């Protein structure tokens, strides 16, 4: 028991001092710490319910998902019927007829219907564990093929798209420089975004509501100045409106290059006009394609489309090499920066619409913090008084350990960048009471040993040894419960689990190791014949 080596004393003291230093920026008034370097003042973040902020719920557009699947399948069918390069095994088919949920086409040579079915089967997969295919294939009148989306296939596609959308939303929100946002899936088609400290959700809503699907396409009809754009586009083209509502362009349906081939996007300014623009850089594949297409189309115009609307349609004066381009479209600095963030994070795999937005004021959080601080102060004082009255010197050591425990919890949360929510305050107050449980067990065990007639040293040694086993066993189960809450819970529940886990670890350390160090040093110097506990 008294064998508490110097190196161990040094390590324990360093851990306690480090916890106090890390907790200082959070506990001290901000005017005292504002002058400190950023790296030396980690602070505990406050959650949405304490700091106020913005709450936005996004919902996937299922019709857009269906349309994407139809578009993708149409391209796949054309590719599949084209066969191997050279065209020797091409299968001639009629026009593809689309509906909201299916695609049909005519096979000109009925003898090849089996081969068509075989190629189409390769385009479908199993949907999850149900065994159902993502598409059904039906042959009518020996020559007409109808492919229909199944419910299971659509559900799987929506699920995959929502997981991807959540990751992209997280990238975009983090790019705003916000701290500890909460981004979780809700149900099958919704994403909840909570950003503490953001009082005006407009910019966030604009950023998240943009799909950011960037496409470069050639302008196929270029009417003379003053002439209107033809109402009926030629085959393989479509009429696309400008984003500012001023005019139309007829562009090819074939995408020359897309945002998937971007490497970087940065907000900048046009050197001639001084207006805000977005400078983009293609990856090697995109740069090669962009260079080739512009070289083959000098004198023509190409259109830059964002989410199905034309931003600009400049002329190609010379081949554009190097993989760099500039997007202009009447941006402000803020909107250009938002577009750059959206392009860098990638296009959303599904169109998301804001169906709920709410701003949480900081007043409620301020009241919660004040009441939480009062509750924590009262809990701490009552616990300190109880331990001191009941256990004397040993209670004093437990009280000191409790104060160290509070500092270490705050310090650990600060260095981990954890967020304190309202449930987190509850967890914090709970750990204050639970922190001395271990010392109660130890002290009661020492009392029992003394009552049995053991000498003070033997009683203390047995008390710490026997109680420590029960303490570790009990707290391991608590840590397991907290880990499960963190794994399966959402924002506030996770916050509670984090505070609880940190509190359990630091309370066991301070209650067992720190108090043992105090007792060992006192007993070694005083050598009491009896102890009062």
């Amino acid at each position: 028991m008294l064998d508490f080596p110097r190196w161990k004393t040094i390590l324990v003291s360093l851990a306690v001092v480090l916890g106090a230093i890390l907790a200082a920026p959070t506990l001290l008034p901000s005017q005292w710490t504002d002058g400190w370097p950023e790296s030396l003042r980690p602070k505990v973040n406050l959650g949405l319910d304490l700091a106020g902020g913005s709450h936005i719920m996004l919902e996937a557009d299922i019709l857009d998902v269906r349309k994407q699947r139809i578009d993708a399948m149409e391209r796949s069918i054309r590719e599949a019927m084209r066969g191997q390069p050279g065209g020797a095994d091409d299968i001639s088919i009629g026009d593809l007829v689309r509906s909201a949920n299916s695609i049909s086409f005519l096979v000109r040579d009925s003898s090849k219907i089996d081969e068509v079915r075989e190629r189409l089967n390769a385009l479908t997969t199993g949907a999850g564990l149900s065994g159902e295919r993502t598409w059904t294939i039906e042959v009518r009148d020996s020559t007409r093929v109808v492919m229909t989306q199944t419910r299971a296939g659509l559900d799987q596609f929506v699920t995959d798209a929502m997981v991807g959308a959540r990751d992209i939303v997280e990238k975009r929100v983090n790019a705003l420089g916000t701290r500890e946002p909460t981004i979780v899936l809700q149900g099958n088609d919704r994403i909840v975004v909570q950003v503490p400290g953001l009082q005006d959700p407009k910019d966030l809503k604009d950023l998240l509501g943009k799909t950011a699907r960037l496409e470069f396409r050639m302008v196929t009809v270029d009417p003379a100045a003053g002439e209107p754009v033809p109402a009926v586009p030629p085959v393989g083209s479509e009429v696309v409106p400008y984003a500012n509502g001023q005019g139309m362009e007829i562009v090819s349906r074939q995408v020359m290059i897309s945002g998937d081939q971007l490497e970087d996007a940065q907000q900048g300014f046009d050197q001639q006009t001084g207006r805000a623009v977005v400078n983009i850089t293609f990856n090697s594949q995109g740069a090669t394609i962009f260079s080739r297409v512009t070289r083959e189309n000098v004198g023509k115009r190409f259109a830059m489309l964002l989410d199905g609307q034309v931003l600009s349609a400049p002329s190609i004066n010379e081949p554009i090499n190097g993989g760099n381009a500039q997007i202009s479209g009447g941006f402000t600095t803020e909107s250009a920066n938002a577009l750059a963030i959206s392009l860098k994070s990638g296009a959303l795999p599904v169109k998301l619409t804001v169906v709920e937005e709410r701003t949480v004021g900081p007043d409620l959080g301020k009241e919660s913090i004040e009441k939480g601080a009062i509750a924590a102060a009262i809990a701490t004082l009552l616990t300190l008084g109880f331990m001191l009255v009941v256990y004397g010197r040993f209670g004093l050591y437990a009280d000191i350990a409790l104060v160290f425990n509070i500092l270490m919890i705050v310090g650990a949360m600060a260095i981990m960048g954890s967020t304190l929510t309202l449930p987190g305050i509850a967890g914090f107050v709970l750990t204050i009471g639970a922190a001395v449980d271990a010392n109660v067990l130890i002290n009661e065990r020492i009392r029992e040993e003394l009552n049995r007639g053991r000498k003070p040293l033997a009683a203390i040694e047995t008390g710490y040894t026997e109680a420590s086993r029960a303490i570790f066993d009990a707290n391991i189960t608590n840590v397991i419960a907290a880990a499960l809450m963190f794994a399966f819970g959402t924002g506030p529940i996770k916050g509670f689990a984090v505070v609880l886990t940190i509190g359990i670890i630091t309370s066991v350390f301070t209650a067992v190791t720190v108090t043992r160090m105090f007792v060992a040093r006192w007993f070694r110097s005083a050598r009491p014949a009896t102890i009062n506990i």
Side-chain angles (χ1 to χ4, degrees), residues 413-476:
M413 291 182 66
I415 197 66
M416 292 170 61
S418 302
T419 298
L420 182 64
T421 60
L422 198 55
I425 290 181
F428 192 85
V429 175
L430 181 64
T431 57
I432 292 175
V436 295
D437 280 355
N439 288 114
V440 171
L441 285 173
I442 293 170
N443 294 341
E444 289 297 327
R445 185 68 180 171
I446 294 173
R447 274 184 177 174
E448 290 178 6
E449 296 303 320
L450 290 173
N451 291 336
R452 290 175 183 173
R454 285 182 180 268
K455 298 293 184 182
L457 179 59
I460 294 173
E461 185 167 353
T462 304
Y464 268 95
T465 303
E466 297 297 327
S468 294
R469 294 173 187 164
I471 293 167
F472 285 121
D473 290 345
N475 284 287
I476 284 174

Side-chain angles (χ1 to χ4, degrees), residues 303-345:
M304 285 182 278
L305 282 69
L306 181 68
D307 294 344
Q309 295 181 315
V310 177
L311 292 177
S312 60
S315 295
I316 304 174
N317 298 322
E318 58 185 11
I320 303 174
N321 301 315
N324 296 314
Q326 189 179 81
I327 302 175
S328 58
F331 298 120
T332 62
T333 303
E334 291 76 16
S335 61
N337 186 55
L339 177 57
I341 292 173
S342 300
L343 293 177
K344 274 196 296 188
S345 57

